[in-house]
Amino acid sequence: MADHAEALVAVRRFLSPSCRVVQMAGGALIADFRRARFLGMTTADVHTFVHGSAEERAELADALVRAGCAPARRKEYANAEIGLWLRGVRLLIATVGFGRVLRFLSVAAPDYVRAEPPAAEEVARLKRAVQSLAHTSWFVNDDCKAEAVTAFVLLRRSGLRAVLHVGMREHPFALHAWTSAAGLCIPDADPRGHAFAPILSIDPGGR
């Protein structure tokens, strides 16, 4: 029962605000009241959003896009919105700690992917915005943890593959966080030329 509720949350997050998702005995009903269109989903399809492979999730997501239940274009975040996410994440880390924020990622970063991979230009634009805003904000103050979590969440909420890493170096001891997507890292994985060995990697869905 808990698995089904989790799967419905993933479907609702993907389709919002285009359609409403109503739980049914045999799965779910997708309702687009503006166009008076309705589409049924089986329980198996609903669970694919949480338990299916990346390929299965991508195929189902694309089918919903083709059916007109979800926007075909990925959302492009404005700098103002990216800045709000950065400050919000920084405040959350300061309030509850980085470890707990990592455990919240399964809620903030949905576990589905579009079929097409993230374009390097798309990730590069997000990287420039995140690093510029983090550098000019006295509150964020180039906090790599806030930058990495913000990038991970925004990429995942766009349905793009991304992995959040936490790395360590021994001499002198330091920790560093970054998110990788399309061959790019946000922020840089080796700031100032210092290499960090990954000790934790979080993939789609916050696991």
Side-chain angles (χ1 to χ4, degrees):
M1 192 69 179
D3 283 349
H4 189 65
E6 180 185 0
L8 281 172
V9 169
V11 175
R12 289 188 181 110
R13 188 181 294 124
F14 176 67
L15 296 177
S16 177
S18 303
C19 299
R20 292 188 61 185
V21 179
V22 181
Q23 182 175 354
M24 305 290 287
L29 176 68
I30 300 172
D32 183 348
F33 293 108
R34 289 173 299 179
R35 294 183 292 175
R37 294 179 59 185
F38 302 91
L39 179 69
M41 287 184 69
T42 66
T43 299
D45 280 342
V46 171
H47 283 221
T48 295
F49 267 83
V50 173
H51 303 293
S53 66
E55 292 75 16
E56 290 172 328
R57 292 194 301 271
E59 182 179 353
L60 181 55
D62 283 351
L64 291 171
V65 170
R66 290 194 300 271
C69 299
R73 288 178 58 83
R74 292 193 293 262
K75 178 176 181 179
E76 293 186 4
Y77 292 93
N79 284 0
E81 193 170 4
I82 296 172
L84 286 174
W85 271 98
L86 270 170
R87 292 189 292 273
V89 169
R90 178 66 183 88
L91 178 61
L92 193 60
I93 291 173
T95 303
V96 304
F98 186 49
R100 288 187 178 179
V101 168
L102 295 182
R103 290 195 287 271
F104 293 157
L105 290 182
S106 60
V107 177
D111 189 12
Y112 67 83
V113 293
R114 305 272 187 173
E116 70 273 19
E121 297 81 6
E122 192 174 2
V123 179
R125 190 196 73 81
L126 179 62
K127 177 175 181 174
R128 289 192 299 270
V130 166
Q131 293 194 295
S132 174
L133 292 165
H135 180 69
T136 56
S137 170
W138 66 267
F139 183 66
V140 179
N141 194 26
D142 284 331
D143 182 357
C144 65
K145 301 183 294 298
E147 293 180 50
V149 170
T150 297
F152 179 80
V153 170
L154 295 185
L155 287 167
R156 295 301 307 150
R157 289 173 72 90
S158 295
L160 298 175
R161 294 179 178 88
V163 181
L164 191 151
H165 306 275
V166 178
M168 179 189 73
R169 75 163 186 246
E170 294 185 358
H171 305 292
F173 177 80
L175 294 174
H176 179 57
W178 68 95
T179 286
S180 61
L184 299 174
C185 297
I186 309 173
D188 293 330
D190 53 350
R192 302 181 182 87
H194 297 295
F196 287 81
I199 57 175
L200 173 66
S201 295
I202 299 176
D203 62 6
R207 290 192 294 273

